Amino acid sequence: MFKPDKFIQEKTAELREKIKCNAIIGLSGGVDSTTSAVLVNKAIGKNLRCVLVDTGYMRKNEIEKNSAMLRKLGLNLLVVNAKDRFYAKLKGIIEPEQKRKLIGELFIRIFEEIAREENARYFIQGTIAPDWIESGGGLRDKIKSHHNVGGLPAEIGFEIVEPLRDLYKDEVRKVGQVLGLPPEIHQKQPFPGPGLAVRILGETSPENVKIVQEACAIVEEEIERASENKEITKPWQYFAVLLPVKAVGVQGDVRSYGNIITVRAVESIDGMSASYTKIPHHILERISVRITNTLKDNVSRVVFDITNKPPGTIEYE
Ligand code: XMP
């Protein structure tokens, strides 16, 4: 049985022994990276600088919300606006693995720049077990290159430290809870490192980012409201994906021709397998009506994904 107290005690001692100089951590405000940051902060305190990169692929208002939350936790935070660099790098790219590799590489280049400025020899990442397992670690087949594993370039200007490397999501949540993170952080739904870039099938242009940001926000708000009203139990993960195909619709008596949004909600324990959440139709209808009203210039239809993992994966790319 996993014992979070024992893990924290042993890990902080190990980190304190290893890291005697400055270190930076790349964090997003999600469960894994925030738990890593608080753990490492406990071990090395003021030697840790926390870096939140705005890739342009975060959810609506997420950078503002997460940076306020991370500062409230007492972390020494630096927010880097790299939207234009990410958009330029991914311009015209549609192949999922290429997207993941380019994002992973640019992340590292940005962290190298910051590490030089901060005189840091160590770079800490919130990698957890499924990230490297699915990236083809050990003897396994590669499912997808998680941004913090398969996307890493061969030459890196610092030493990488991954304190949560051997843990699964449910174990990370327990560690976060024992470290005193509030439930809205340790129970937060997962969000992939490459962000909305893997929820836009096709080109990840700033225009497409806006569409999927809005659709994801609607899915989250409607599902969270339904869960607060006890209509459903909150799924393990829930979001929207923009499909690169168009369909004909009608608005009033005028023809429309817009993209398709798919709604995905799943139940899982560790993300390694999942079953789709049986969301009641009246809640799906609310989501569909809100998305097609709010995004009427861009979206003509909303569909719901009923694929389990396997054979699907949770994210689409
Ligand atoms: P898949 O899509 O592989 O996702 O079934 C399993 C879980 O992992 C999340 N995910 C990622 N998390 N970096 C991450 O930190 C990534 O590159 C990444 N790709 C997928 C996904 O949201 C799901 O919870």
Side-chain angles (χ1 to χ4, degrees), residues 32 100 126-128 130-131 134-135 143-149 169 189-195 198-199 236-237 239 264 266 270-274 309 312-317:
D32 307 340
R100 284 178 167 271
T127 311
I128 65 170
D131 297 345
E134 292 211 326
S135 298
I143 312 293
K144 50 183 81 174
S145 302
H146 283 233
H147 74 293
N148 44 0
V149 186
K169 199 82 175 187
Q189 66 158 326
F191 185 63
V198 293
R199 292 182 181 170
W236 191 79
Q237 195 169 4
F239 55 90
R264 180 93 165 124
V266 295
D270 53 19
M272 298 296 288
S273 61
K309 174 184 180 177
T313 54
I314 297 175
E315 304 289 346
Y316 273 45
E317 293 194 330

Side-chain angles (χ1 to χ4, degrees), residues 93-139:
I93 306 292
I94 55 169
E95 204 280 313
E97 276 299 296
Q98 208 184 348
K99 275 187 197 171
R100 284 178 167 271
K101 290 246 160 68
L102 290 173
I103 291 173
E105 194 179 309
L106 185 50
F107 258 123
I108 287 294
R109 294 300 168 228
I110 291 169
F111 290 127
E112 278 177 335
E113 291 163 19
I114 311 274
R116 269 196 299 275
E117 283 163 25
E118 298 284 329
N119 198 18
R121 246 188 48 217
Y122 293 97
F123 173 58
I124 295 147
Q125 294 203 114
T127 311
I128 65 170
D131 297 345
W132 58 264
I133 292 173
E134 292 211 326
S135 298
L139 300 172

